[in-house]
């Protein structure tokens, strides 16, 4: 992560530690997202601060609700909860495609396949620089955030490419008619 990320991560870690010290339990994801959002918003409100130039995704498992949460915080500090989210270049297009999916009814493995396909389909290979797909998830059985294995990501990307190639073949067949 870049310079702004190097300022956000320690602030988030501090919030987690302070909450644990005060309440003797892990901070709920929505509370952490709200506090990071307030911190980011303060940097848009005061003269001596520069607004952060990044969005933040906060994923976590709430022990009280027994549910996983994903929050997206924009540079102004506005926080929203999602089942799937995207930020960065092409983020709005990806978010539109993700919103079409019913992620609440999918396994995380199925979701990864759809996300890999979405990213491949919205990117313009001739214009965009190469990218690295990194993913993580919180499975309800382990209740911990885990980075997805690179082999599993590679398989998802291969399947996404096959799906794109099949769609291109179908489009070519339609053009021939």
């Amino acid at each position: 992560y870049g310079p702004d990320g190097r300022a956000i991560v320690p602030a988030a870690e501090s919030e987690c530690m302070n909450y644990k010290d005060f309440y003797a339990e892990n901070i709920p994801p929505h509370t952490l997202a709200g506090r990071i959002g307030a911190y980011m918003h303060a940097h848009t409100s005061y003269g001596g601060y520069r607004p952060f130039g990044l969005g933040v995704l906060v994923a976590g498992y709430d022990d009280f609700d027994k549910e996983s949460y994903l929050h997206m915080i924009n540079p102004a500090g506005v926080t929203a909860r999602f089942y799937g989210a995207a930020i960065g270049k092409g983020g709005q297009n990806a978010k539109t495609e993700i919103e079409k999916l019913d992620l609440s009814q999918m396994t995380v493995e199925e979701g990864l396949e759809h996300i890999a396909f979405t990213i491949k389909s919205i990117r313009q290979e001739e214009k965009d620089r190469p990218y690295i797909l990194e993913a993580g998830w919180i499975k309800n059985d382990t209740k911990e955030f885990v980075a997805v294995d690179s082999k599993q990501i590679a398989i998802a990307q291969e399947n996404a490419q096959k799906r794109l190639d099949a769609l291109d073949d179908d489009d070519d067949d339609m053009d021939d008619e």
Side-chain angles (χ1 to χ4, degrees):
Y1 47 89
D4 286 344
R6 285 193 274 281
I8 295 291
V9 170
E13 289 173 337
S14 175
E15 289 292 344
C16 291
M17 287 186 291
N18 290 340
Y19 192 94
K20 183 96 170 180
D21 288 345
F22 194 78
Y23 295 105
E25 60 184 40
N26 293 328
I27 189 169
H30 58 276
T31 303
L32 178 60
R35 290 183 181 185
I36 295 171
Y39 178 72
M40 292 174 71
H41 178 71
H43 280 73
T44 67
S45 302
Y46 299 111
Y49 291 126
R50 173 184 65 81
F52 290 104
L54 74 149
V56 177
L57 295 174
V58 176
Y61 184 83
D62 189 337
D63 293 325
F64 182 75
D65 291 344
K66 306 289 185 231
E67 190 173 351
S68 300
Y69 289 95
L70 174 66
H71 294 272
M72 184 169 68
I73 309 164
N74 73 13
V78 178
T79 304
R81 180 178 174 214
F82 293 93
Y83 280 107
I87 54 177
K89 183 178 180 181
Q92 188 58 48
N93 291 339
K95 201 165 128 185
T96 300
E97 293 301 316
I98 290 169
E99 288 172 353
K100 294 176 184 176
L101 303 172
D102 189 6
L103 292 172
S104 66
Q105 300 301 315
M106 291 183 192
T107 65
V108 291
E109 290 85 1
E110 291 169 338
L112 178 63
E113 294 275 336
H114 285 289
I115 300 304
F117 174 74
T118 298
I119 292 171
K120 280 225 180 261
S121 64
I122 63 170
R123 289 184 44 76
Q124 298 172 344
E125 294 295 332
E126 63 277 355
K127 289 184 183 178
D128 294 335
R129 287 186 276 170
Y131 72 99
I132 297 171
L133 175 61
E134 295 178 324
W137 50 46
I138 300 171
K139 290 190 173 184
N140 285 334
D141 55 347
T142 62
K143 298 170 183 62
E144 291 183 7
F145 180 84
V146 178
V148 178
D149 181 66
S150 59
K151 291 177 188 173
Q152 201 163 7
I153 290 176
I155 291 169
Q157 287 181 307
E158 288 173 21
N159 292 340
Q161 188 61 52
K162 288 176 188 173
R163 203 166 139 196
L164 269 177
D165 293 343
L167 285 174
D168 287 344
D169 290 345
D170 289 346
D171 287 346
D172 292 342
D173 292 343
M174 295 293 260
D175 291 342
D176 292 341
E177 292 176 5

